[in-house]
Amino acid sequence: MIKMRTLTEQDFDEAIKLSEYAFQYKVSNEDYERRINMLKSHEIWGEYEDEALISKLHILHMQINIGNKLFEIGGVAGVATYPEHRRKGSVSRLLRQSLLSMKERGQTISLLHPFDIAFYRRFGWELTASVKKYTLEKKDLFRYPDGPGRIMRFGKDEGNDVLNTIYEQWFEKYNHMLVRRNDTWWNHHVFTDGYNRVVYFNENNEAEGYLCCKAADKLLDVQEMVYVTEAARRALWNFIAQHDSMVDKVKIIAPNDDQLPFLLQNPRITQETHPYFMARIVDVEAFLKQYEFENITRPITIAVTDKQCSWNNAAFQIGPGGVTPGDSSTGLTMDVGTLTAVLLNAVPAAVLYETGQITGPREDLNALVSAATKKPVCFIDFF
C-alpha cells in the first residue's frame, strides 16, 4: 500500500540513503551531522510502500526578489525515487502535493533546478534563468592599470556580513535573486570545497566586490564574480589575471546579461549559455495581488490555464484598482508557465505571442509588458 506523508527527524537517515543512491554520492561521517541539521529546515514529503521510503521531495522555504519586492518561495530539491519504483507516478504525486503545500504556506512562486526541462514543463514550471559559462586561456588574461583600493581574503566562514552587503547591492538590478541572509547559506551553499573568499575594498575601506574562486590542477574556477562599481570589477579581474603563472585556463560563471567577452582584447573565447533554473507561479491570484504593476491605465484581463493547480484556472483582471475576477472570453490567454516567464521578464513577451503561447489582442499584451518589471533575470545559486 502506497502512503504519502512528511518526513520527521527519525526518517532523515532514510532520506539521506535515498539521496546517496539516486545522486551517486556519499555523505562522509564528518558531514553527516551537518546534513541532518540542514534537513531540519526542509519540508520533506515522501511516499512509502509497506513503511519503506520509495521516493521523496524537499521544499526549501526562501525568498527571491521580483521588481522591488521580496516573494516567499518554495524551492523544490532532492527529488528522488528508487529505480524499482520509477515511472509509476510517484514523483508526479509528490510535485502536486508540494504545490498544494506551498499554496497553503503562502508561497506564491516556486523554483527548481531541473534534471529534465521538458519533464518539469509538464507540471507548469518554465525556464526562467540561464547563466553564461566562459572558458579563457592564459593568453586572455590582460591586466588593467592598478587602481586605488585593496584585495583582502577572508578565512573559512568569515566575512558573511561583508559579502552579503555587496551581494544585496548587486542583486537590486536583477529579478529572481535569492535572499542569502543567513550564515548557513554562505558557508555551506556558496563557499564550499575550498573556494576562496576574495573581497575588494575601495580607498575608503568600503567593500564593493567579491570573488568565489578556487585554483587547482592548472584551472582557476570562478563561481561568482559580484561587484557594484567599475573599480571593483577591474580590481577583481586583475586578481584573476595575476594567476597567469599558476593556471592554463580560467572558467567563469556569470549572469546571462554579462558582457565580459566585449571587454576582452580577444572576445573569441569559449562561451556557453546554459539553461539553469525554472520557476512557476503557485497561486496566480495571490501572486498578481503582490506583484508591483506599473503604469496601469486601463484593465488588462488574463485567462490562465494550469493543468496541475485547479485553483489557477481562472481569468484575472488587472486594473488601476487592483486584481479582480475577469471575463475569460476577452483579453489574453496563456498557461501558468508562460505567465511566469512574462512577469519575471525571463523571455520577451513578443516572442511568446508570435509563437502562439500567448493569444489575444496585441494592445493588451503591450499594456501588460509596459506594466511588468523591466529588470533582467539572474540566478546564481543552487539547491
Side-chain angles (χ1 to χ4, degrees), residues 161-354:
D161 290 343
V162 173
L163 296 161
N164 195 64
T165 297
I166 302 167
Y167 174 80
E168 291 202 345
Q169 291 179 65
W170 186 68
F171 97 1
E172 288 180 1
K173 66 179 181 179
Y174 290 111
N175 286 319
H176 205 285
M177 296 286 287
L178 188 70
V179 174
R180 295 176 172 177
R181 292 175 182 166
N182 65 75
D183 289 338
T184 298
W185 196 267
W186 281 102
N187 295 340
H188 301 296
H189 290 264
V190 181
F191 291 94
T192 60
D193 301 326
Y195 280 88
N196 294 293
R197 301 162 178 246
V198 178
V199 180
Y200 167 74
F201 289 85
N202 66 19
E203 62 271 34
N204 297 317
N205 205 36
E206 298 164 330
E208 294 183 339
Y210 72 82
L211 291 176
C212 171
C213 60
K214 177 171 68 173
D217 301 321
K218 294 291 186 177
L219 169 69
L220 180 64
D221 179 10
V222 180
Q223 289 289 310
E224 291 189 16
M225 180 175 177
V226 173
Y227 51 87
V228 295
T229 64
E230 174 62 11
R233 186 193 71 80
R234 291 184 177 225
L236 294 173
W237 172 260
N238 279 354
F239 176 84
I240 292 171
Q242 293 281 37
H243 288 76
D244 57 351
S245 65
M246 299 171 53
V247 303
D248 295 327
K249 294 181 184 295
V250 176
K251 291 188 176 181
I252 301 175
I253 296 177
N256 197 38
D257 68 341
D258 186 77
Q259 298 298 318
L260 174 63
F262 178 79
L263 302 172
L264 298 176
Q265 295 173 347
N266 174 26
R268 290 177 175 169
I269 61 171
T270 300
Q271 54 183 303
E272 171 193 359
T273 298
H274 177 71
Y276 190 42
F277 254 69
M278 303 180 79
R280 73 105 80 205
I281 296 171
V282 173
D283 186 336
V284 172
E285 182 178 10
F287 182 87
L288 293 177
K289 287 181 176 179
Q290 186 180 0
Y291 190 93
E292 287 186 329
F293 290 99
E294 300 178 358
N295 305 317
I296 295 286
T297 57
R298 63 174 182 83
I300 306 167
T301 298
I302 304 173
V304 180
T305 59
D306 190 335
K307 294 180 180 179
Q308 307 300 330
C309 302
S310 59
W311 57 82
N312 288 333
N313 288 308
F316 305 90
Q317 181 175 276
I318 304 162
V323 178
T324 56
D327 180 356
S328 61
S329 65
T330 63
L332 303 169
T333 299
M334 65 191 80
D335 66 26
V336 70
T338 301
L339 179 65
T340 305
V342 170
L343 293 183
L344 267 63
N345 195 28
V347 182
V351 172
L352 298 169
Y353 188 82
E354 290 160 5

Side-chain angles (χ1 to χ4, degrees), residues 298 300 332 349-350 353 361-372 374:
R298 63 174 182 83
I300 306 167
L332 303 169
Y353 188 82
R362 186 64 183 252
E363 57 269 25
D364 285 8
L365 179 68
N366 293 340
L368 179 62
V369 171
S370 177
K374 307 301 184 296

Side-chain angles (χ1 to χ4, degrees), residues 121-149:
R121 276 178 168 162
R122 287 166 39 200
F123 292 90
W125 278 267
E126 185 50 86
L127 181 65
T128 49
S130 297
V131 293
K132 285 185 176 178
K133 294 184 175 183
Y134 302 126
T135 302
L136 298 94
E137 306 293 333
K138 181 187 300 190
K139 61 182 175 59
D140 299 314
L141 302 180
F142 73 96
R143 293 185 68 255
Y144 291 104
D146 290 333

